[in-house]
Amino acid sequence: MSALAEKKSPAEARKMGISGLKAAFNILEKWGCNADQMQAILRLPKATFYKYRNDPDSARLDRDQLTRISYLLNMHQALRIVFENPDNVYGFMRKRNHNPYFHGRAPLEVIESGDFAALYETFRRIDALRGGLW
């Protein structure tokens, strides 16, 4: 999303970011995230998080936040491609994973740290499930 947003006018890019934020909130909620987890994953301070949750159209997102949103949307899309069952699409992030990177942790446990590298590495592994090139 952020690379695509760079080719848009500032108003179009902002509108895309707001749409992405709304979608990210919905996805994170369906993954079972609480407010603290969402704040960390999206790198939003507490007051800003609640402001944007109540009025997403007021959001002013920086490049890092837009990239985080992009990874979340792409992970969700990959899960929708891999799984037909909504329980798996939305439940996968909470399931323990014994692949080497996760070491028995659920993907959500990894990304809730808020660490950008953890989000990226989790995205890479989920994207690979759908046949992404990594």
Side-chain angles (χ1 to χ4, degrees):
M1 180 171 60
S2 57
L4 179 61
E6 291 174 7
K7 298 178 183 177
K8 303 284 184 187
S9 73
E12 291 172 321
R14 184 167 180 273
K15 186 175 178 181
M16 285 177 61
I18 290 168
S19 294
L21 179 64
K22 291 176 185 177
F25 280 146
N26 288 332
I27 291 165
L28 291 170
E29 191 172 287
K30 288 183 178 182
W31 286 352
C33 291
N34 61 37
D36 290 337
Q37 290 169 314
M38 289 185 202
Q39 291 167 46
I41 293 166
L42 295 170
R43 201 187 50 80
L44 290 172
K46 187 174 187 173
T48 304
F49 169 78
Y50 285 105
K51 177 182 177 185
Y52 291 178
R53 277 295 274 174
N54 293 326
D55 182 17
D57 293 329
S58 69
R60 302 273 183 219
L61 302 165
D62 62 28
R63 179 181 293 247
D64 177 78
Q65 291 161 331
L66 290 170
T67 303
R68 289 168 180 271
I69 290 167
S70 178
Y71 285 145
L72 292 171
L73 297 178
N74 282 295
M75 280 191 276
H76 175 66
Q77 182 62 29
L79 292 171
R80 288 175 46 103
I81 289 168
V82 172
F83 301 115
E84 293 180 17
N85 181 338
D87 290 339
N88 290 334
V89 171
Y90 296 107
F92 178 87
M93 294 298 287
R94 289 204 162 275
K95 293 183 184 197
R96 300 239 171 257
N97 190 312
H98 295 284
N99 289 323
Y101 177 74
F102 295 105
H103 301 288
R105 297 174 296 169
L108 187 56
E109 287 179 74
V110 174
I111 67 170
E112 74 183 359
S113 69
D115 181 68
F116 187 85
L119 181 64
Y120 172 73
E121 291 299 329
T122 300
F123 157 72
R124 282 188 52 213
R125 281 149 179 88
I126 291 174
D127 192 51
L129 292 174
R130 70 160 185 87
L133 301 175
W134 293 102

